[in-house]
Amino acid sequence: MNNRTGSIAKRLNAALVRRKFARAFFIDLMVAVLVIAVWCLTIESTYGGKITNVDERWFAGYEWVDDNLAELLQTSGNLRELTRAGGLIFRETMYCFTMDGTAHTVSAAGILSAVTLSLILVLIVQLIGFLAGHFTGQNLIKRYLRPIDEVALSAERLSSMQSARKTDVASLAHAINEIDDSDKRIAVHDSELGGLEAAVNNMLKRLEESKRKQIRFVDDASHELRTPIAVIQGYVNMLDRWGKDDPKVMEESITAIKNESEHMKTLIDQLLFLARGDMERHELHKMPLDTNELLEEVAEESRMIDRDHEYLFETDGHPHPTLADPAMLKQALRILTDNAAKYTPAGGTIKFRAFSSGDRVCLEVSDTGIGIPNDELPRIFDRFYRGQNLRGDSHSGSGLGLSIAKWIIDEHAGTITAMSSEGIGTRMTVSLARYDG
């Protein structure tokens, strides 16, 4: 068993030493090449040109010394002088390059000889270290095995702390089990369990937010659906009592039920849109578009649908590009247009305009309608909000349209603002980031 263990250790040591020597050899070669490259660039810079002006580079006249190295050393008598002269290993070796069409030649024997001699000496030293490490490499093995020893010691420390940690984890589990409301938070006051405690509390916070959104949706839906359902039930009862034999009552009831059903369908669609938005289930497919084209399209469609108002589109002839989801942005503009038409008397004017302001693109929808009181302007984008002068109007809608439009613009990182004056009209302005590609 001991022989086998020693053999494994020996092979491991040999592999580690070989890898270390190969890595050192590769680094030596890279350093040698780098030194020569720096020397070449330095030579080029002395001719007053830039590196980028050099057309070609090459070494020429390469020859190995034919004479015996010992004789050269004896003749020179000084290794330093011989190396400096470039005659120890290379002779007549020239570095050639062309710069701005002019050829230059510089002797490279000295630098090549110095680099080669330095590389040989370094490799000899490393080879001696390789041989020494190959036979006596216990320290190297210990160094590589040190992380394993540290892991073992850490495991031992963890084992000794196990009983204490069980108590802390049990207290955390108990705190979680005691939670009967997602609005509560846990606190075990343990620094090592702080990360887990924060994660659980963040999860509870998200659950509470989701619960609030669901409750809000149910409350909104039940509140707004109560009125059309009551109206439908009233007309159904009237039909049951008197409408069977009275054509006038029957026609009135059918018309009212049809209108209320359509209103209920629109309301449900709007509620579901906002609910999906609250749950972040809407996906926006943004693309570059010219807002001039989009506004002109909305204006043209409005002219075809509504003959009671005049729809104008103004342009300065310049493109006003942005990055947006065309369908979503068009839906928001249609909501603004429908609101403008709804509260503008027949014969009134609804105007569309696109313009740029700095790095923003602005889309404007203005009307000549009844206007909005100043004290109601801050609340017009609230869900289900309807102005005091509109609540008695059966065609005033659910109060969700502007909320949907604002949600869409918010998702585009834009803003929507309103300016209005009673009896003069209202101007809605959407501001989005300009996109120039």
Side-chain angles (χ1 to χ4, degrees):
M1 186 69 179
N2 291 336
N3 291 335
R4 184 178 180 182
T5 303
S7 177
I8 294 174
K10 187 176 182 180
R11 289 198 300 270
L12 177 62
N13 174 69
L16 293 176
V17 171
R18 285 196 300 271
R19 181 180 300 178
K20 182 179 178 182
F21 179 77
R23 183 168 59 249
F25 179 71
F26 176 77
I27 294 174
D28 295 340
L29 288 179
M30 292 300 100
V31 171
V33 171
L34 180 62
V35 170
I36 295 174
V38 170
W39 178 84
C40 293
L41 296 177
T42 303
I43 292 298
E44 293 169 7
S45 65
T46 60
Y47 285 84
K50 296 182 179 179
I51 298 174
T52 54
N53 296 338
V54 177
D55 302 319
E56 289 184 278
R57 300 179 176 91
W58 71 93
F59 286 93
Y62 176 92
E63 292 185 17
W64 289 96
V65 176
D66 297 330
D67 300 331
N68 185 274
L69 181 60
E71 294 179 359
L72 287 173
L73 292 174
Q74 292 175 0
T75 302
S76 173
N78 190 320
L79 179 60
R80 181 176 180 182
E81 294 179 0
L82 189 60
T83 302
R84 184 182 304 161
L88 180 60
I89 300 178
F90 302 95
R91 67 181 183 190
E92 299 179 6
T93 302
M94 310 298 293
Y95 173 58
C96 309
F97 60 95
T98 59
M99 179 181 294
D100 297 328
T102 303
H104 301 280
T105 303
V106 179
S107 174
I111 185 65
L112 293 177
S113 298
V115 170
T116 303
L117 279 175
S118 300
L119 183 61
I120 292 174
L121 292 175
V122 171
L123 288 178
I124 290 174
V125 174
Q126 291 177 348
L127 182 61
I128 294 173
F130 167 74
L131 295 174
H134 184 74
F135 296 104
T136 59
Q138 296 180 358
N139 292 332
L140 185 61
I141 295 177
K142 289 181 180 179
R143 190 179 68 185
Y144 278 93
L145 293 181
R146 188 176 297 117
I148 299 177
D149 293 336
E150 292 176 355
V151 170
L153 292 174
S154 298
E156 185 177 351
R157 287 194 300 269
L158 288 174
S159 177
S160 63
M161 297 168 57
Q162 185 176 8
S163 58
R165 300 314 309 150
K166 283 183 177 180
T167 302
D168 295 335
V169 173
S171 64
L172 178 62
H174 178 72
I176 295 175
N177 289 331
E178 287 296 314
I179 294 177
D180 55 1
D181 188 347
S182 58
D183 194 28
K184 294 182 178 179
R185 300 293 182 264
I186 63 171
V188 294
H189 305 293
D190 188 296
S191 58
E192 296 187 14
L193 294 177
L196 183 58
E197 178 183 325
V200 173
N201 285 332
N202 287 334
M203 179 187 67
L204 292 173
K205 182 179 180 181
R206 291 193 297 269
L207 289 174
E208 177 63 22
E209 181 64 23
S210 178
K211 185 179 75 172
R212 281 199 298 268
K213 290 178 180 179
Q214 292 177 2
I215 294 174
R216 179 182 183 182
F217 174 77
V218 172
D219 289 345
D220 292 344
S222 60
H223 177 269
E224 292 299 317
L225 291 174
R226 187 180 295 114
T227 299
I229 290 175
V231 172
I232 292 173
Q233 285 179 339
Y235 277 101
V236 167
N237 291 333
M238 188 169 64
L239 278 174
D240 187 43
R241 293 181 182 180
W242 305 291
K244 297 176 182 178
D245 302 320
D246 189 339
K248 185 177 180 180
V249 173
M250 181 176 291
E251 183 180 355
E252 179 186 350
S253 300
I254 290 174
T255 301
I257 291 173
K258 182 179 178 181
N259 291 337
E260 291 300 326
S261 298
E262 186 65 29
H263 174 66
M264 194 184 318
K265 177 181 179 300
T266 302
L267 176 61
I268 291 173
D269 289 341
Q270 291 176 334
L271 283 170
L272 290 177
F273 182 94
L274 290 172
R276 287 193 293 267
D278 290 340
M279 301 303 293
E280 300 180 357
R281 293 175 59 185
H282 283 302
E283 290 187 13
L284 268 63
H285 304 285
K286 295 183 180 180
M287 60 183 66
L289 57 89
D290 187 356
T291 54
N292 281 334
E293 298 177 1
L294 188 65
L295 270 180
E296 188 174 13
E297 184 178 338
V298 173
E300 185 61 31
E301 291 175 355
S302 300
R303 291 191 195 103
M304 296 174 59
I305 298 172
D306 181 12
R307 301 292 182 178
D308 296 331
H309 301 91
E310 182 182 11
Y311 291 90
L312 302 178
F313 170 68
E314 293 185 356
T315 176
D316 57 5
H318 300 289
H320 303 289
T322 189
L323 192 66
D325 184 317
M328 284 285 192
L329 186 55
K330 189 175 184 180
Q331 181 179 353
L333 293 173
R334 279 176 174 165
I335 291 172
L336 300 182
T337 305
D338 291 343
N339 264 27
K342 188 180 298 182
Y343 304 118
T344 299
T349 301
I350 298 169
K351 187 165 59 178
F352 302 88
R353 187 167 74 101
F355 60 94
S356 293
S357 177
D359 60 349
R360 308 291 291 180
V361 168
C362 299
L363 314 179
E364 190 177 275
V365 180
S366 58
D367 61 58
T368 57
I370 62 176
I372 305 171
N374 289 332
D375 59 339
E376 294 183 1
L377 274 176
R379 300 187 57 193
I380 61 174
F381 297 107
D382 294 346
R383 296 185 185 184
F384 300 108
Y385 179 76
R386 291 190 288 267
Q388 294 291 337
N389 59 342
L390 302 177
R391 291 180 182 176
D393 185 359
S394 60
H395 302 289
S396 63
S398 62
L400 289 176
L402 290 180
S403 299
I404 292 175
K406 186 177 187 306
W407 183 91
I408 293 173
I409 301 306
D410 288 344
E411 288 298 302
H412 284 80
T415 59
I416 179 170
T417 56
M419 292 183 63
S420 185
S421 180
E422 290 187 85
I424 297 178
T426 302
R427 182 174 65 200
M428 295 285 187
T429 305
V430 173
S431 174
L432 301 170
R434 184 181 175 88
Y435 178 77
D436 293 313

